[in-house]
Amino acid sequence: MAIGNLPVHALSDQQRFDLCRSVMENRPHNPSQDGPYAKSTNSIGYGAYPPTDQKGIWIEMKCWEIPGIYDPF
C-alpha cells in the first residue's frame, strides 16, 4: 500500500495513527463482534472500534498496536 509515492514503512507515527483512525468506527460496543470487553467511551457511549472487515489498512498497518488508537472520538 502506498500513499502518493511513499511506501507504508515511510509513514511517520502521526501519519500512521491518522490513517488507522480514519478506518475505525465510532459506535457502541457490540459484544458479538468486539468481544466481551468494551473500549473507552465518550459521553454518548460510543467507542472507537476496528472495522468489521479487518483487512487492508487495519492489517497492513497493525493499527491495534498504536497507543491510544481506541480512545473515543
Side-chain angles (χ1 to χ4, degrees):
M1 177 186 158
I3 296 180
N5 293 326
L6 292 175
V8 168
H9 64 271
L11 297 178
S12 71
D13 289 343
Q14 184 62 53
Q15 288 170 321
R16 186 170 163 243
F17 179 89
D18 292 344
L19 185 61
C20 286
R21 279 300 287 250
S22 74
V23 300
M24 292 185 77
E25 299 173 351
N26 190 25
R27 60 177 170 74
H29 176 243
N30 180 345
S32 67
Q33 59 186 93
D34 304 323
Y37 305 107
K39 306 298 183 192
S40 300
T41 59
N42 61 18
S43 61
I44 59 170
Y46 280 33
Y49 291 93
T52 304
D53 183 11
Q54 296 182 9
K55 294 181 182 175
I57 291 171
W58 189 259
I59 297 298
E60 291 172 21
M61 300 292 289
K62 294 188 178 180
C63 297
W64 58 87
E65 295 179 351
I66 300 175
I69 200 67
Y70 292 116
D71 291 346
F73 58 95

